[in-house]
């Protein structure tokens, strides 16, 4: 059983898993290591529990739809005196079973028991259901 702590985050402005992947592909080219990042103002106090196998679960259109493993956390200095945390992520998104999630600000910790399971490997490349349909089916427990 997975004992690593996870994070959950809204992917604001993202329309689909594919659009998140496209944005990350473009953004990660800015860095020498080519790894995608998500910069946040708050530094997780439970960092050691996250970087030992934890993931960030992405909420897109009100549904948890995918995750990425968190590799490490780097300090970001934008010259304004505010310490920021770059969540350095494993490339590629792993699609999960869809689960509804209400809007919230920032990121939150996500216990492994509350994380939706990954879709089976043979379903990772399937076209996603429209968000409204996926949300309705997830709410009644069909998916």
């Amino acid at each position: 059983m997975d004992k690593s702590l996870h994070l959950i985050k809204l992917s604001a402005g993202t329309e689909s898993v594919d659009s998140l992947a496209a944005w990350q592909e473009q953004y990660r080219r800015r860095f020498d290591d080519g790894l995608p990042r998500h910069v946040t103002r708050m530094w997780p106090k439970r960092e050691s529990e996250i970087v030992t196998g934890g993931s960030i679960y992405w909420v897109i259109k009100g549904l948890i739809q995918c995750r990425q493993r968190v590799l490490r956390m780097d300090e970001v200095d934008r010259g304004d005196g505010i310490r920021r945390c770059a969540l350095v992520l494993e490339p590629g998104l792993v699609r999960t079973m869809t689960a509804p999630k209400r809007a919230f600000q920032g990121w939150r910790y996500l216990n492994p028991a509350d994380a939706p399971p990954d879709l089976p490997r043979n379903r990772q490349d399937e076209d996603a259901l429209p968000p409204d349909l996926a949300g309705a089916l997830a709410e009644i427990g069909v998916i």
Side-chain angles (χ1 to χ4, degrees):
M1 176 162 215
D2 183 6
K3 294 185 192 243
S4 297
L5 186 64
H6 305 296
L7 297 173
I8 187 167
K9 173 82 175 87
L10 297 180
S11 185
T14 300
E15 296 296 316
S16 66
V17 174
D18 290 339
S19 67
L20 176 60
W23 181 85
Q24 284 189 355
E25 180 61 32
Q26 182 179 10
Y27 182 69
R28 73 187 187 118
R29 294 178 188 170
R30 298 178 186 182
F31 305 99
D32 292 336
D33 62 10
L35 295 172
R37 286 161 170 74
H38 174 73
V39 178
T40 181
R41 191 167 169 166
M42 299 302 292
W43 198 290
K45 290 179 171 67
R46 298 174 69 182
E47 176 181 2
S48 63
E49 296 172 77
I50 296 165
V51 298
T52 55
S55 292
I56 184 167
Y57 282 74
W58 292 107
V59 178
I60 301 168
K61 296 286 189 179
L63 301 167
I64 302 171
Q65 296 189 40
C66 61
R67 69 172 182 85
Q68 280 178 290
R69 185 140 170 254
V70 178
L71 300 175
R72 67 177 191 269
M73 297 180 195
D74 293 347
E75 188 166 339
V76 174
D77 180 4
R78 293 187 174 161
D80 58 4
I82 298 171
R83 180 181 186 232
R84 291 181 176 85
C85 176
L87 303 170
V88 181
L89 308 170
E90 190 171 83
L93 298 164
V94 177
R95 291 194 35 218
T96 64
M97 298 296 285
T98 325
K101 186 67 178 170
R102 294 183 193 265
F104 59 95
Q105 289 187 340
W107 53 262
R108 300 282 184 267
Y109 292 114
L110 179 65
N111 290 317
D114 299 327
D118 294 350
L119 282 178
R121 288 187 191 268
N122 63 344
R123 293 191 53 205
Q124 285 291 319
D125 294 328
E126 287 180 1
D127 290 335
L129 293 173
D132 291 343
L133 177 58
L137 292 173
E139 270 189 35
I140 62 172
V142 175
I143 58 171

